[in-house]
Amino acid sequence: MTTHPQPVTISVAAAEFGRDMEQGYATIAALLEESRNRGSQLLVLPEACLGGYLPSLGGGDETEESRQRRLKALPPALELDGPEIKRVIDMAGDTVITFGFCEKDGDTRYNAAVTVDGSGILGSYRKVHQPLGENLCYDAGDSYSAFDTPIGRMGMQICYDKGFPEAARELALDGAEIVASISAWPTARTATVENMEEDRWKQRFDIYDRARALENQIIWVAANQAGTFGSLRFVCSAKIVGPGGEILAGTGVEPGLATATVDVAALIGAARGGGMYNLRDRRPSVYRTITKEPIHA
């Protein structure tokens, strides 16, 4: 195991980020200061921190005029080794920070995440699973890899990825003991409710977070956007989930910072040492259809 030998204090945010990059940096700085005041070594921020998310999801039979308007409304595309990411690195110091942005690679854009500290980039990721027309704006990533950090071995996912158990399992099998799942997860578009706690997409978000932690017996850290952007209203619900599926800290449906001190080695050891060690007890030879290409009607 590559776990950090000491307990790790983790903070995770439900916070609002839009197109205004300077406001985004100010929000990151404020959350970083608060997390440091709480003694946190890891701060997990939402998807699309630098430049905001898409103003709407979908596409379908849009007109050419609508398509051009949508393309002009995309977030700024940033290079992984560019000055915008470096600015967060310079802010980080000894704190490990995970956050989302729109990555530019030549003429291609990706919905991306990066984990940094003051020494530089520790890991990067391009979103694999794309919901509701996101593929009209971004190309998809094609891999999951865990990476070592000063607070232990980590993995990253973005939003819709959490709906796919195979994705979290890939990271767990690669040794990730802490997974940062960052999102811009909105309320349901239909059958809307006044009380966000009752929103079916909010409930789905929470179920996925707890299930992914439980089935892999890992620490799951879920950040989310807050407020509204374009036509989207975000459910907040940032949380830290233990390897038994228990919520250790959360923001509920409000913006804020949730913090928990986690003895990663002890929690994972207890979960996996009680006779039910999910990664050990898998039977891959039986799962014959999991990696087959889907049949499209």
Side-chain angles (χ1 to χ4, degrees):
M1 289 176 61
T2 58
T3 315
H4 189 273
Q6 302 298 324
V8 175
T9 300
I10 300 169
S11 285
V12 60
E16 187 169 356
F17 291 90
R19 287 287 181 269
D20 187 330
M21 294 278 286
E22 287 304 317
Q23 180 58 54
Y25 287 121
T27 301
I28 291 171
L31 291 166
L32 180 57
E33 181 179 11
E34 178 60 27
S35 72
R36 283 177 173 152
N37 289 340
R38 299 183 186 190
S40 300
Q41 294 113 307
L42 170 64
L43 171 62
V44 179
L45 300 170
E47 175 182 7
C49 283
L50 297 182
Y53 187 55
L54 306 177
S56 64
L57 290 172
D61 298 326
E62 66 181 347
T63 65
E64 179 59 24
E65 180 182 357
S66 296
R67 191 180 84 86
Q68 290 301 324
R69 187 165 58 247
R70 173 176 54 76
L71 293 176
K72 288 179 181 177
L74 294 179
L78 314 176
E79 294 182 343
L80 188 61
D81 60 356
E84 299 87 358
I85 305 300
K86 179 64 163 55
R87 188 165 167 182
V88 182
I89 292 171
D90 291 342
M91 295 164 62
D94 292 336
T95 307
V96 177
I97 307 175
T98 299
F99 62 96
F101 69 106
C102 171
E103 183 184 353
K104 172 183 171 64
D105 185 359
D107 293 329
T108 305
R109 290 170 178 257
Y110 297 95
N111 189 342
V114 64
T115 295
V116 307
D117 67 5
S119 70
I121 293 171
L122 302 172
S124 65
Y125 167 68
R126 293 168 172 173
K127 185 176 181 181
V128 170
H129 298 98
Q130 299 179 305
L132 300 172
E134 197 177 89
N135 63 310
L136 299 173
C137 304
Y138 297 117
D139 277 35
D142 59 8
S143 65
Y144 290 99
S145 297
F147 51 95
D148 292 320
T149 79
I151 52 92
R153 192 158 174 83
M154 290 183 60
M156 293 181 286
Q157 294 194 345
I158 300 176
C159 209
Y160 190 40
D161 284 325
K162 73 176 70 199
F164 298 84
E166 302 89 344
R169 181 56 52 88
E170 279 283 312
L171 290 170
L173 290 173
D174 197 23
E177 294 172 326
I178 300 172
V179 170
S181 175
I182 68 175
S183 297
W185 193 284
T187 56
R189 299 192 297 172
T190 59
T192 58
V193 294
E194 185 174 342
N195 181 0
M196 198 186 292
E197 287 283 4
E198 299 173 358
D199 180 82
R200 58 195 177 89
W201 281 20
K202 189 269 183 189
Q203 293 176 1
R204 190 177 302 175
F205 183 86
D206 295 341
I207 290 168
Y208 284 147
D209 286 336
R210 298 183 72 177
R212 298 297 86 89
L214 173 61
E215 66 201 4
N216 293 291
Q217 297 168 306
I218 56 175
I219 309 300
W220 188 267
V221 187
N224 197 22
Q225 288 264 5
T228 61
F229 189 73
S231 65
L232 303 175
R233 177 188 178 212
F234 302 110
V235 304
C236 297
S237 201
K239 66 180 75 65
I240 301 162
V241 187
E246 66 282 8
I247 296 176
L248 303 176
T251 66
V253 294
E254 300 295 331
L257 200 64
T259 303
T261 298
V262 181
D263 190 328
V264 177
L267 282 180
I268 291 180
R272 296 178 178 181
M276 297 176 67
Y277 182 2
N278 296 0
L279 302 186
R280 179 198 62 203
D281 296 338
R282 294 178 312 118
R283 297 188 58 201
S285 64
V286 177
Y287 316 143
R288 293 183 294 273
T289 60
I290 283 180
T291 58
K292 287 185 178 178
E293 289 297 315
I295 299 173
H296 299 287

